[in-house]
Amino acid sequence: MPAVNDFVGGMIAYEARALTILDAATVPDAPALVHFYAGFLNLLAEAPGAADAARPHLVAARLFLATANDRETRLADALAAWIDDDIDATVAILSAILADYPRDLATLKLLHYHQFNHGDFPGMLRAAQVSAAADPDLPYLGGCLAFAYEQLHLLDDAAATARAGLAIVPTDPWAQHALAHVWLTRGQVAEGLAALTGWSPGWQGLNSFMVTHLWWHLALFHLSRGDVVRVLEIYDTHVWAHARDYSQDQVGAVSLLARVELAGYAVGERWAELAPYLALRAGDVVQPFLSVQYAYGLARAGRAEADPLLSAIADAAEHGPLHSRATWRDAAWPLARGLVALARGHAAAALPLLSDAVPRLSRLGGSHAQRDLFAQFLLEAQIKGGAWVEAQQSLELRRAVDPDNVPLNRALADLYRRLGLPQLAEQAQARAGGWAAA
């Protein structure tokens, strides 16, 4: 069944061909498995109407359940639970399917999606190890193992499994992505720049999330070197150049623009260009990790839609699904208010909110590299809000990992001047000049 093969292969390899399942589902009497996968793909759109779009596929698939096999019947249960936003049940069902069908990497990817969004990184590793126990040489499994290890900060294991995966599939984008995380976390900027630049010609046929996200990682290495011209070129050509209505492309754009500004550079009219797409998210509380970034982007662009989004986040904090309500309440709600306050120039108001939220973000969703943006926002609030001692502590800890980071050393130079330490300021300024782009 070509469409099913395209979906499974596309899911595993992050290729755009997975989308062909949607056309296949429009054919009369399409098999149950086609409808299951079309339903899952609609849910992966991460939009408020995703469940409504997926539900007809579940109804259509159930017409064929009398002749379905065991795995298909259980996929129906997983799809139904996800549509009902019963994520605990979804995870349990997918985990049970994987236990019985450990070579089913499409199910592993769906399971990892939910575990990742809830910060269950140990669960991600356990799930990948189920597949590894059945066949350690499964193509594309190395990237799954590597990313789970990396999210647990087990960087040696992450690097080893990613390289093992690339020995089997040299173009595996998820294994490349895991190594990008390792190099970023370790401050190995030269390695990251060289490898990702070398791999980038092969990023063809990938889905919009994967291609934009790989370029996003490459942009971060250029930003460490202070090459803002190249960073903004990557933003325009690769990061904000694909599926502009898709959640992941939108938050990737928000994140990169914010990081450029936090590094002390201007981004021109790019916030205004991004804002109309974010404005459609004014009531979107599908995922806390996404919503807080929509809120910042809207506020930074001066859009009034940030306020109804804040109201929606407040409602989710009080009435949201049980599986995520605590995350909305304890992390997303103070974080969103702090980000909007900072975007609107109110650093003193943002500082206590961000100080409260940032230590609680492990279950917000996103990788620790992505969530580092919020720690950078806290640093900005500390500097602008006069908490210079706290900012100095954080900046020097960051410099220990990435000592030649140009924006970081520029920030330290400015901070040491404020603290009355001119010699340290001169040393930091000298370090910043070493890699500055012409």
Side-chain angles (χ1 to χ4, degrees), residues 391-415:
Q392 182 274 339
Q393 295 285 295
S394 296
L395 283 169
E396 285 293 359
L397 287 173
R398 287 172 172 273
R399 188 170 73 87
V401 176
D402 189 3
D404 295 318
N405 186 297
V406 172
L408 188 155
N409 279 298
R410 285 176 179 163
L412 272 171
D414 179 67
L415 192 58

Side-chain angles (χ1 to χ4, degrees), residues 158-244:
T161 49
R163 293 187 187 283
L166 289 171
I168 298 170
V169 183
T171 58
D172 179 359
W174 204 236
Q176 294 175 359
H177 165 257
L179 280 171
H181 271 263
V182 170
W183 292 321
L184 182 67
T185 303
R186 286 177 165 166
Q188 295 174 281
V189 176
E191 291 88 341
L193 272 174
L196 292 180
T197 301
W199 288 328
S200 63
W203 297 340
Q204 306 298 322
L206 300 178
N207 63 32
S208 67
F209 159 70
M210 194 74 264
V211 69
T212 59
H213 193 60
L214 286 168
W215 281 105
W216 179 90
H217 271 282
L218 182 51
L220 296 191
F221 291 120
H222 283 292
L223 187 58
S224 174
R225 290 285 175 88
D227 190 353
V228 69
V229 172
R230 181 61 178 140
V231 172
L232 291 177
E233 181 183 38
I234 289 173
Y235 175 90
D236 293 334
T237 307
H238 301 290
V239 173
W240 189 234
H242 294 275
R244 294 184 173 183

Side-chain angles (χ1 to χ4, degrees), residues 32 36 58-70 72-73 76:
F36 292 144
L58 177 62
V59 172
R62 279 176 166 163
L63 298 176
F64 299 93
L65 283 185
T67 58
N69 61 36
D70 171 71
E72 292 170 342
T73 301

